[in-house]
Amino acid sequence: HGLGIKEVAILASTLEHLVHTESLDRLKVAYSAMNYSQEDVLSEEESAKVLDMYMSLYILGFIDTNLANMTATRAIQIHSNINEAYPAWPETQQFLRETQKSVAPKRDYLYFNEVENVIAEIGERYGRFQDIECRQFKDWLVAVEDPSVGGAGRVRLADFYGQALNNGKWQFSESADYLRQLGALDESDVSNPRVIKIGRAS
């Protein structure tokens, strides 16, 4: 018969708890990878490096989803690929620094629970930060929109991949199967499959 307000509240609370637990596990891995213990008091610079490690594990989490068994060596290996795998990393680092300064202003050192507060705020703000990136993707797609009849709102699949291959826009590299699963692939003309911009930008 559906869910009442109480059941929805319990579901939301459960999901929030799961997200917090995963974030905390990722932070513990980041501390370990940087050779810190949770009892250590970190300088602003040290905590910034921990946040970088944390965020790289979040962004590239699909590489290794087993946080419970992730070693420091594996975390460092994943982090070492962030610049190549995620060209928007410098902007993300700036986002991290701004968030840290707003949560812990004028602090020369941070305890573990304070760094935990920073990652909680990062989680709250990251969606808005990503929305800016999403709008940028949409602008890129508009620039290569199919000009032929019936091409409005669509990008030829070849042009889509061309952005990744020739223009360094690595974001446009999803497989045709994945785009199809998203409902973002128009194959009404089998000789000219096209990516639906609305589906990709959202």
Side-chain angles (χ1 to χ4, degrees):
H1 301 291
L3 300 177
I5 187 68
K6 181 179 179 180
E7 289 80 9
V8 171
I10 292 172
L11 176 61
S13 178
T14 301
L15 290 174
E16 184 177 9
H17 175 72
L18 290 172
V19 169
H20 176 74
T21 298
E22 183 176 308
S23 296
L24 186 57
D25 288 343
R26 189 178 296 111
L27 181 59
K28 290 175 181 177
V29 171
Y31 261 72
S32 176
M34 300 303 296
N35 203 29
Y36 299 130
S37 76
Q38 296 175 43
E39 287 71 39
D40 287 335
V41 180
L42 305 185
S43 68
E44 182 179 1
E45 182 179 352
E46 289 169 337
S47 59
K49 290 180 180 178
V50 167
L51 291 174
D52 283 352
M53 175 65 72
Y54 169 90
M55 203 64 189
S56 65
L57 295 176
Y58 175 81
I59 293 170
L60 300 181
F62 62 91
I63 294 176
D64 192 332
T65 59
N66 193 351
L67 285 171
N69 296 318
M70 185 178 292
T71 64
T73 300
R74 180 58 174 155
I76 291 170
Q77 183 183 34
I78 293 173
H79 178 62
S80 68
N81 293 318
I82 189 66
N83 281 298
E84 182 179 355
Y86 192 66
W89 179 241
E91 290 80 5
T92 302
Q93 284 182 299
Q94 181 62 30
F95 161 74
L96 296 176
R97 303 295 177 269
E98 291 173 356
T99 304
Q100 179 176 350
K101 287 181 179 178
S102 69
V103 175
K106 300 180 180 179
R107 289 296 304 273
D108 296 328
Y109 58 88
L110 290 92
Y111 294 94
F112 181 86
N113 69 305
E114 293 173 317
V115 178
E116 187 179 349
N117 290 339
V118 176
I119 67 165
E121 187 63 22
I122 287 170
E124 290 291 328
R125 299 184 185 187
Y126 192 57
R128 294 191 296 275
F129 172 75
Q130 276 195 315
D131 183 61
I132 296 172
E133 187 178 48
C134 184
R135 291 175 188 275
Q136 184 181 46
F137 294 167
K138 185 174 181 180
D139 290 342
W140 288 343
L141 289 173
V142 167
V144 291
E145 185 176 80
D146 185 353
S148 66
V149 175
R154 285 157 173 71
V155 175
R156 292 176 59 249
L157 191 59
D159 293 334
F160 179 83
Y161 290 137
Q163 291 296 298
L165 292 172
N166 305 318
N167 298 320
K169 294 181 173 62
W170 61 273
Q171 298 90 341
F172 305 132
S173 56
E174 292 100 332
S175 69
D177 283 342
Y178 181 68
L179 292 169
R180 190 177 295 114
Q181 289 173 13
L182 291 178
L185 189 62
D186 178 359
E187 297 180 282
S188 56
D189 180 353
V190 295
S191 66
N192 184 30
R194 295 177 292 190
V195 178
I196 300 171
K197 287 191 318 188
I198 294 175
R200 178 61 183 83
S202 61

